[in-house]
Amino acid sequence: MTVTTSTSEAGLATVAELAAQLRVDSIRATTSAGSGHPTSSMSAADLLAVLVTRHLRYDWDHPRSPANDHLIFSKGHASPLLYSVFKAVGVVAEAELLGGYRRFGQRLQGHPTPVLPWVDVATGSLGQGLADGVGIALAGRYLERQAYRVWVLCGDSEVAEGSIWEALDKAAYYRLSNLIAIVDVNRLGQRGPTELGWDLDAYAGRVEAFGARTLVIDGHDLTAIDDALATAAHTTGDRPTVILARTVKGKGFAEVEDRNGWHGKPFPAAMADRAIAELGGVRNLLVRGQRPVPTPATNANGSPAGGGATLPRYAVGDNVATRKAYGDALVALGAADPRVVALDGEVSNSTYADEFAHAYPHRYFEMFIAEQQLVAAATGLAVRGYRAFASTFAAFWTRAHDFIRMGAISGVDLRLVGSHAGVEIGADGPSQMALEDLAMLRAIHGSTVLYPSDATSTAALVQAMAATPGISYLRSTRGAYPVLYPAGEAFPIGGSKVLRASDHDQVTLIGAGVTVHTCLGAADLLAEEGIAARVVDCYSVKPIDAATLAAAVAATAGRLVIAEDHRAEGGLGSAVTDSLLAAGRPDLQLAHLAVRAMPGSGSGTELLAWAGLDADHIAAAARKLIATD
Amino acid sequence: MTVTTSTSEAGLATVAELAAQLRVDSIRATTSAGSGHPTSSMSAADLLAVLVTRHLRYDWDHPRSPANDHLIFSKGHASPLLYSVFKAVGVVAEAELLGGYRRFGQRLQGHPTPVLPWVDVATGSLGQGLADGVGIALAGRYLERQAYRVWVLCGDSEVAEGSIWEALDKAAYYRLSNLIAIVDVNRLGQRGPTELGWDLDAYAGRVEAFGARTLVIDGHDLTAIDDALATAAHTTGDRPTVILARTVKGKGFAEVEDRNGWHGKPFPAAMADRAIAELGGVRNLLVRGQRPVPTPATNANGSPAGGGATLPRYAVGDNVATRKAYGDALVALGAADPRVVALDGEVSNSTYADEFAHAYPHRYFEMFIAEQQLVAAATGLAVRGYRAFASTFAAFWTRAHDFIRMGAISGVDLRLVGSHAGVEIGADGPSQMALEDLAMLRAIHGSTVLYPSDATSTAALVQAMAATPGISYLRSTRGAYPVLYPAGEAFPIGGSKVLRASDHDQVTLIGAGVTVHTCLGAADLLAEEGIAARVVDCYSVKPIDAATLAAAVAATAGRLVIAEDHRAEGGLGSAVTDSLLAAGRPDLQLAHLAVRAMPGSGSGTELLAWAGLDADHIAAAARKLIATD
């Protein structure tokens, strides 16, 4: 049976047929692949059938149309359902669904990613899709001023993630009536019943208390679904909507309906045949729903990537904190590029993001103390073409590690800035000291990791970040240190600066950020003893300047002192040695100074000395390398 | 004025004096240190004065008494208040408070850590103290069966963290009436007003919906506080209690009361003098509250650390997944050691933690999909002396990175197990593939990182984890691979196994986990060509077996192929090269095979080949090293 429905609102009889088709196709796709989640798809098939045919405004032939609604599967494991929808609207062929799902080299992956043009963000780590949707809804409501809605299908298990509540809290705070969450309450998680089961009242109480308009329905009653979606689609209120749909896992195939033990399991072939027969057989309906109302292009297109910004200028020798230079540079970028937006996690007066907030309040989003949502909001804004800079204390980016990782899978451009790094912060103690952030960010696929030592290089690198794809990270420093570079100096990503060099250097001192200053101090101490030391500012930790490092190794008989205000694992030291070892067979004599014990409070100076990162320790390490030659 | 109050219930007049003293001492400590948070301490001083004198049951001379209540400052930045309490009960001297706070080498750090014997867990990364308290309350209610209560002081800003809602959700699910959160709603965060300000009804609605008994009070009305704490102290119900206290930041000093801009700022000396005068001057009350009811020792003491366990045995050559061996070994440990407990994040049928759950249901805690709370609950259980093993998919430990980091600062022993690592998992795609976990865990201070290749070594290492202090992590593999080692073989932490060696080895192949098997396959391919390859199983990634690696380098002319199912940064490759470079000046010719692009779906075999980690690619890399010599 092939029926093409081109009316803007398919009748419910057609919708019922479509729902059966989505179930059948979910079964066929997973059985053919030998893996995947048919039962988690079947519970939500009615919801999607009504949504896609009667409420979603989407031009399937132009997925980049700015007026399109957005559809996010926060329960990414229900990808068979999503891909079956793509087949039903005619953008994915049956052959691809049955032959490509979960196969090597194919785009219909186990969990959706933006490899598919109709997918905004990668999902599969639960509790993230709704949070990303908040970012898209922020863009729609406050920046693009588009009428699109953001529809997010959530699972009930993922509601246990705190990130869901961060998302709802922010959706209510920002009055995102353009955000609609549909929770597929099928009562069963992977290993058994969920915490709240079918206690829809309990869910409703929580959701309502968090400020959402809440609609509780039978998720298999097409009329009820239609009414709820119609209500939700009216976005004139000031609250997000959460539709709580009571559903049955495996709905439509009595053998598995509401039965534990069928999570993430495809049906064997004979069982799939029985299921398909019970569902009325294979169908090939082709349906299209509503198209979006055309709107003029938004300001999210065509502006330069920070190129025209007039960066702040600092006088060499003045003491300026790099975190301050971040705020200054961000304001400059904001002046030149309307696509630059900023977010912070309630510490903007420490990160200096508040400078941007004061200059461009309509392009600043306060995320309060919710780092997961901070990254997710930036992700959603990036999906809509904005150049989002997000900042907090560097230590607290660990809170959002999974979101950063998923951002890399989504392929979005995220610009993260972490202040208050390392033991240098002093009295606040170890909970506030980022000592693992460089390792974390280096291991993110395609990332760029920057750690400037002075205000001039910071401003230049913030500008460079605006044009950097993927996940970029800049680590700033709490204390004020001398400006080392004159205004206008270039700091290409992947470069470094050789601050001291002669033709008789005996050792190379490699630092980044605060340790550039202690390396310079060590070079001064060594110079007093007649020892010439080369000093390299590795402001670009990833990619790192392999050529300059190799030249330094050659010039100083392989003697390297690497000093980093970070744990010994995975940071600057690894970046340097990975680079040298990849390039050849270096004869290295290495002293790697890093934070190797648990710090307490103290002054930054005391703690840098305690960690062995001050000028005295660096000089001592250099002397020892030379002596033991 | 020095007044010693040793009655079990100080009168409210004395309490008022104590509250003033706590404020004065918080001001004195921060002004003397030149940093810290006086105003955030002053808002909660009345709450603590009533709690400590009239409700907390604590033997200050015996902080390890199992019957003691627990007091956690989730708002760790209010450490001046906590330390002022310690002075008031006589365990910290005035000289230490005024001369040691936030100073180098001192124990009164900027945020509390268990360096102090009255502190259970390190706080300062917001939203974690309550979550840790859930773990302690679980121990008290379900394992120790002690009558202690867990009192947690929370800030209002931190309620924006999703982890707070994960904690309340689990507290309600597990009916933790022994958990009492006191939220200091002072309306002002670091940079300005909080989201909900003084809308206590909004807070109450959320907290109540999450299943807590909710008490809303004026946090400066001593009688109201006393009544609320008395109500909360009756833990006979089945709900946790949340006391929402409306307070004024900086309370007691009119110049700063309820004024923005005074977060985290000590008062200058003259201002401190005015504040202290307004508060009635310096006091030196010495107070003690209730002592705990003595109880018999619990089973959390004295049992052996897995030593007596009879480990499962596997036949060499059988295909067994290491994740299955984890479950088997955990059951064996559980039989031998009543202190072993297990937790999982709703994937126990994938991690095989369900074997323990079935064998010892009363020592298993299901945390559902809430990885932050999963680590926090394990932390709290560890505080009470239990040997907690927590498991989820390896990729999702990134969700709890900040909690793991703080666990290291707390100095607790956490045993984390991550299944489904790397591209080996196959069809589920990149969202489910741990590719950053080794880098993340290696950079945690004092951590142990294990990645066994077979069932025998897995079981032995799980047993070793039971006796391993600090944060230990074991990475398990989805697929079943041949058992390589006979039962009974020893696998010391810090060791490795040389699986192939001869006196004419030309190259060393280093793997861990699944790549041990592909390295063995590569050695077979090379052997067919007459090339002898040494194969090292680096099952202990941190600490790594430096001696064996150095010997292999010496024996094979520095030719190393390192193969890891992980990103190139910070994992096995870094562990190997860090070790070799720290030991001397190795002449290394390195091929580092790792996952250097973004994977999709496919079979594990296809994806290992795609990533260049199969036997063919490893053999090719070895040949190239030999050829380019």
Side-chain angles (χ1 to χ4, degrees), chain A residues 592-616:
Chain A
H592 182 198
L593 309 180
V595 182
R596 294 177 188 269
M598 185 58 75
S601 291
S603 71
T605 303
E606 287 168 334
L607 288 162
L608 286 167
W610 164 85
L613 297 171
D614 62 350
D616 284 342

Side-chain angles (χ1 to χ4, degrees), chain B residues 228-552:
Chain B
L229 294 179
T231 301
H234 284 97
T235 60
T236 49
D238 63 355
R239 293 195 293 167
T241 299
V242 175
I243 297 171
L244 296 162
R246 185 188 196 279
T247 61
V248 174
K249 200 160 179 172
K251 176 73 177 179
F253 182 35
E255 273 184 55
V256 301
E257 278 186 0
D258 193 35
R259 278 188 56 190
N260 199 14
W262 278 102
H263 181 95
K265 291 184 184 162
F267 305 150
M271 194 171 164
D273 289 343
R274 290 196 300 277
I276 293 166
E278 186 173 326
L279 285 159
V282 171
R283 296 163 181 80
N284 283 298
L285 276 79
L286 195 63
V287 299
R288 287 285 169 104
Q290 299 183 49
R291 291 170 61 90
V293 182
T295 52
T298 69
N299 64 5
N301 297 297
S303 59
T310 303
L311 290 181
R313 299 172 72 87
Y314 306 98
V316 171
D318 281 2
N319 284 330
V320 183
T322 56
R323 58 186 172 125
K324 174 71 168 66
Y326 167 64
D328 298 345
L330 195 61
V331 170
L333 289 185
D337 184 352
R339 280 191 284 178
V340 168
V341 300
L343 311 90
D344 192 274
E346 224 281 299
V347 290
S348 60
N349 53 341
S350 289
T351 61
Y352 284 91
D354 62 354
E355 294 189 12
F356 187 94
H358 295 142
Y360 306 105
H362 299 299
R363 284 190 271 153
Y364 174 81
F365 298 98
E366 177 58 57
M367 286 293 123
F368 299 92
I369 306 183
E371 294 81 7
Q372 297 185 106
Q373 183 57 56
L374 177 58
V375 171
T379 298
L381 290 162
V383 164
R384 296 305 309 141
Y386 292 93
R387 297 200 171 95
F389 285 78
S391 51
T392 184
F393 281 21
F396 302 141
W397 285 124
T398 55
R399 198 65 158 258
H401 189 168
D402 197 24
F403 284 72
I404 300 169
R405 180 182 77 88
M406 290 298 294
I409 300 173
S410 289
V412 292
D413 303 337
L414 292 181
R415 295 154 182 100
L416 309 178
V417 175
S419 68
H420 294 71
V423 301
E424 191 273 346
I425 71 159
D428 274 332
S431 65
Q432 319 292 301
M433 293 171 178
L435 291 169
E436 304 86 2
D437 55 325
L438 298 178
M440 173 176 75
L441 270 300
R442 280 186 69 239
I444 296 291
H445 179 61
S447 65
T448 299
V449 179
L450 308 169
Y451 185 17
S453 62
D454 88 333
T456 301
S457 52
T458 300
L461 291 168
V462 171
Q463 183 175 34
M465 288 171 84
T468 299
I471 313 291
S472 56
Y473 173 62
L474 185 139
R475 189 190 219 215
S476 69
T477 302
R478 180 175 185 274
Y481 294 87
V483 174
L484 299 175
Y485 303 103
E489 181 139 348
F491 293 86
I493 285 175
S496 68
K497 293 288 174 185
V498 179
L499 282 162
R500 299 279 172 87
S502 72
D503 55 8
H504 55 282
D505 292 336
Q506 291 180 268
V507 62
T508 301
L509 313 180
I510 298 175
V514 67
T515 58
V516 170
H517 298 276
T518 55
C519 283
L520 288 170
D524 290 343
L525 293 174
L526 294 167
E528 291 171 10
E529 302 162 27
I531 299 172
R534 183 167 298 201
V535 176
V536 182
D537 172 2
C538 273
Y539 64 80
S540 180
V541 176
K542 180 187 176 188
I544 201 160
D545 186 350
T548 296
L549 293 173

Side-chain angles (χ1 to χ4, degrees), chain A residues 161 191 346 350 371 399, chain B residues 126 161 190-191 346 371:
Chain A
E161 286 282 12
R191 47 128 282 294
E346 223 282 299
S350 289
E371 294 81 6
R399 198 66 158 257
Chain B
L126 290 168
E161 286 282 11
Q190 170 174 325
R191 47 129 282 294
E346 224 281 299
E371 294 81 7

Side-chain angles (χ1 to χ4, degrees), chain A residues 433-487:
Chain A
M433 293 172 177
L435 291 168
E436 304 84 1
D437 55 323
L438 298 178
M440 173 175 77
L441 270 301
R442 279 186 70 238
I444 296 291
H445 180 61
S447 65
T448 299
V449 179
L450 308 170
Y451 185 17
S453 61
D454 88 331
T456 301
S457 51
T458 300
L461 291 168
V462 171
Q463 184 175 35
M465 286 172 85
T468 299
I471 313 290
S472 56
Y473 173 62
L474 185 138
R475 189 190 218 215
S476 69
T477 300
R478 179 176 187 274
Y481 294 86
V483 174
L484 300 175
Y485 304 103

Side-chain angles (χ1 to χ4, degrees), chain A residues 240-253:
Chain A
T241 299
V242 175
I243 297 172
L244 296 162
R246 185 189 197 278
T247 61
V248 174
K249 200 159 177 173
K251 176 72 176 180
F253 182 35

Side-chain angles (χ1 to χ4, degrees), chain A residues 285-308:
Chain A
L285 275 80
L286 194 63
V287 300
R288 288 285 171 103
Q290 298 183 51
R291 292 170 58 91
V293 182
T295 54
T298 69
N299 65 7
N301 297 295
S303 59

